[in-house]
Structure formats: structure tokens, C-alpha cells
Amino acid sequence: MFKGNLKLNLEPLERLFEPKLPPLIGCDITSSAVKMVEIAAAGKGLYRVERYAIEPLPRDAVEDGNINNLEAVTDSLKRGWKRMGTNIRNLALALPAAAVITRKIIVPAGQAERELELQVETEANQYIPFALEEVNLDFQVIGPAPNSPDDVEVLIAASRKDKIEDRVAAAAAADLKAVVMDIDSFAAQAAFELIEGQLPDAGKDLSVAIIDIGGAIMTVNVMRNGQSVYMREQPFGGNQLTQEIQSHFGMSPEEAEAAKRAGGLPDNYETDVLAPFLDRLGLEVARALQFFFASTQFNQINHILLAGGCAALPGIDEVVTKRAAVNTRVANPFANMALSSKIRPKQLTSDAPSLMVACGLAMRRFDA
């Protein structure tokens, strides 16, 4: 079964479908921060969180997944790496799903790899609105094709080279090395596998909505039996809460963002600003589920997992449960992991939902 471990083939990084990867740091570059996670083996099937760091980015340094300020991203990478206190310089990075074109195709089974590559290139020409020399292209055999034992299903992924090169360049400028380029939604799915066992019957035959609420975008990814059956983005996120704080308390954008993260706002913050925002967020989630029901054959969501920076807001799970009428919990992919002495458990629990992608990327070192 395909587990979402596609890695884009980058010429400067050589082919990335290697049986074993070197020790690496999962690094998620978002619109608000650089998030870095290092995970080590702690016995058969067990893992330990060694260290992590979240380094804020200046406003507009990264927008819509595009790096607009390479120097700012490089500086955050340097600070995060230094604060982690690690000697590992290899990074697993991710592109936003919107920057990657993915398609599933059916091809005859038993082809040699070179034959399969040629067929993938031919098929890719039909789906990719750019010349092939302008993109990085990769593929992965998912497994036998449904209802066709003589064929296999193959996932193709392609992204414009400049999207990839910006991230590789930022890592190199920080004296770090990109060894994996993934897709953020696939990395989040890898982290979800760590949480799935916490659900009834380990999530078997359940529809689980992973709702990642970032700074500007809310992403809905519905998982069922290890496969993503629906994905949608809609414009809503923590930036709206920052703007409410800014206007309500007469703060600059930077002051409002810092106060949102660190606390210490006036007593009426929770009633006048936070509660109305959470209620809007709950309505947005309910609306997103209605889109899902209207555009798929499914008519039920069994569980909601909240991820992203907003998922750390107090009381968010209760508000979403009430508004969406679905059992909701805050995602913590580290819940069953050991923690090194460098980790503060309470702080990690608070940060965990915003580290889903970074965690999934860090787990790439264990890909067999």
C-alpha cells in the first residue's frame, strides 16, 4: 500500500528512492516559521524525539509556499539548527501541495525501470502544463491496479524546478544539505500514521479529517484506510486572529503576533477576541466538511484531527466538536514517543500540532 513517501527526484540530490537514508532533520518551511524536528530510533518500532526548534519568519518572507526572502529563511534555518544543538546537517524538506502536480496512472506490470521511466515521461506530457525540462519529475509504484491484476498503479509528481531550487538554496546558504524533497501533505500523512493507532480499531474503515490551520490557509485532508480520499484548501487561518488582536488592542502586527504566541494579553482577550475567532473557525470546519460530503460518495466523518499553529489555541477541540458535530482531538504525533532530556514535555505537547509536517519529514530517515 502506498504510504505517502514519494520524494521528488532532484538532479543535484541524485535519485531519492534509496533503501536507507542518512540521519536527517525534518524541516518544514511555512509562511510563519521554520520548524525543525530530529527523531531517533529507540528500539524495534519505537522512536525518540531528540530535539526540535521553531524559528519565526518575518512577515511575507514566505507567501503561498514561495520563498520571497531567501536571506530571512536562511537566517531562520541557521538559528534553528544552532538552537537544536545537533551535528546533523541533512534536511528533509517539503514543497506545498499546491506547487506539485500529482496524477495516478495505470501501466502494465513487470516493466524494467527504464521502460517505466519512459512511459511515465510520455504520460506526464499529457498532464503537466510546462515543458519537461522546466520541471523535476518523479514517480512511485503504488501497487497492483484495482480490478486489473496485470497492471500496476503509479503515482507521478512534478514541480517546477525553481520551487525546488529555492529551498535547496536556502538550506545550502545555511550550510545544510537537502537530501529529501517531499510534499507537505504526504509528510503530514506519514505523521498521521503515528496517530492512527490511537483511534478505535486503529482507524480501520474510518474517515478521519486532518484539518491543518496555518497562518493563512486551512487544509482539509480526509484519510481512509491509509489513503487520502479528499483534499481541499480554503482561505482561513491564524493571521485573522493576529489582525483581530492588532485592531482590538492597538498593537503593531509584530506585537500582536508575539502576544498571541507568548500570552499576557488583557483580561478581555478571551471573551472579546479569542472566543469569536474560535467560533468562526468552528464554522469554517463545518463548512469544509459540507464541501466534502457534497463532492464525494461519503456522508460521514468519524474523527477530526486538528493540526497547525491554531490547533494549540485553548478550547479549540471543544468548539470544533460542537460546531461540526464530530469527535475532535488535537493532533500529537509524538504521543507514543520517548523524549530526550532536552525536550520539555509540556512545551512539546503545545507545539506538537504545528509540527505534523516536520515530524513526517523527520520520519523519512526510517523509510525502508
Side-chain angles (χ1 to χ4, degrees):
M1 181 185 293
F2 175 61
K3 291 292 186 180
N5 59 349
L6 183 73
K7 307 170 190 74
L8 291 177
N9 182 26
L10 316 185
E11 292 173 1
L13 308 185
E14 302 180 345
R15 186 153 182 85
L16 298 177
F17 288 119
E18 299 295 340
K20 287 187 184 290
L21 287 165
L24 51 76
I25 295 168
C27 181
D28 180 23
I29 300 173
T30 73
S31 60
S32 61
V34 169
K35 304 167 187 179
M36 307 174 82
V37 174
E38 181 187 338
I39 295 172
K44 188 174 182 181
L46 301 174
Y47 305 101
R48 181 176 61 249
V49 185
E50 288 293 325
R51 40 180 77 82
Y52 76 97
I54 300 175
E55 283 294 328
L57 283 168
R59 207 172 182 81
D60 302 328
V62 177
E63 197 171 16
D64 297 329
N66 299 314
I67 295 178
N68 296 332
N69 187 334
L70 190 67
E71 184 178 354
V73 173
T74 297
D75 287 345
S76 284
L77 283 168
K78 286 179 178 176
R79 289 195 306 272
W81 186 82
K82 184 176 181 181
R83 191 149 64 83
M84 287 179 76
T86 182
N87 59 3
I88 296 174
R89 293 184 177 273
N90 296 318
L91 300 183
L93 297 166
L95 291 167
V100 184
I101 298 169
T102 57
R103 290 288 187 277
K104 289 180 182 178
I105 62 171
I106 306 296
V107 301
Q111 295 188 64
E113 181 148 339
R114 183 55 190 155
E115 291 177 318
L116 187 54
E117 286 178 359
L118 290 171
Q119 185 159 359
V120 165
E121 287 187 9
T122 302
E123 294 278 352
N125 269 318
Q126 301 176 43
Y127 302 114
I128 299 168
F130 313 110
L132 284 185
E133 57 267 21
E134 295 177 14
V135 303
N136 285 109
L137 175 69
D138 209 351
F139 65 91
Q140 182 168 359
V141 177
I142 300 172
N147 310 316
S148 181
D150 295 329
D151 296 322
V152 292
E153 196 171 26
V154 175
L155 181 66
I156 301 175
S159 180
R160 288 180 65 95
K161 289 182 176 179
D162 57 337
K163 306 287 186 189
I164 294 169
E165 288 165 355
D166 282 351
R167 281 166 168 72
V168 174
D175 201 21
L176 304 171
K177 182 182 180 183
V179 296
V180 171
M181 189 65 68
D182 208 326
I183 302 168
D184 59 7
S185 57
F186 290 175
Q189 287 170 212
F192 169 68
E193 290 176 18
L194 298 167
I195 301 172
E196 205 169 14
Q198 303 167 24
L199 300 173
D201 294 326
K204 186 176 187 302
D205 296 330
L206 299 180
S207 296
V208 182
I210 306 170
I211 300 184
D212 188 308
I213 308 145
I217 297 294
M218 184 173 82
T219 303
V220 180
N221 186 5
V222 179
M223 300 292 296
R224 189 175 178 87
N225 294 329
Q227 298 284 328
S228 175
V229 296
Y230 175 84
M231 187 171 290
R232 175 185 167 86
E233 292 183 347
Q234 56 194 63
F236 184 86
N239 291 346
Q240 295 182 33
L241 178 57
T242 304
Q243 289 164 9
E244 289 293 325
I245 294 170
Q246 182 184 341
S247 62
H248 204 83
F249 299 112
M251 294 180 172
S252 70
E254 292 74 21
E255 289 170 338
E257 185 66 30
K260 182 178 76 173
R261 293 172 183 273
L265 284 158
D267 292 342
N268 62 335
Y269 162 65
E270 290 192 10
T271 55
D272 292 1
V273 178
L274 181 59
F277 172 79
L278 288 177
D279 198 51
R280 287 201 305 277
L281 189 153
L283 289 170
E284 286 290 330
V285 171
R287 189 165 71 94
L289 298 189
Q290 291 307 312
F291 279 118
F292 167 68
F293 298 139
S295 55
T296 71
Q297 75 270 35
F298 301 104
N299 57 16
Q300 184 179 16
I301 289 289
N302 301 101
H303 295 277
I304 293 173
L305 285 176
L306 298 176
C310 282
L313 293 171
I316 188 172
D317 51 342
E318 296 172 9
V319 172
V320 172
T321 296
K322 181 180 177 182
R323 280 294 186 186
V326 177
N327 178 56
T328 301
R329 66 172 69 187
V330 175
N332 183 356
F334 310 110
N336 294 324
M337 292 190 191
L339 306 181
S340 76
S341 59
K342 308 173 192 69
I343 301 293
R344 291 182 291 168
K346 188 175 180 181
Q347 187 62 51
L348 178 61
T349 299
S350 175
D351 291 332
S354 70
L355 295 170
M356 282 282 285
V357 171
C359 172
L361 292 171
M363 293 297 293
R364 293 305 189 217
R365 71 178 289 186
F366 306 108
D367 285 351

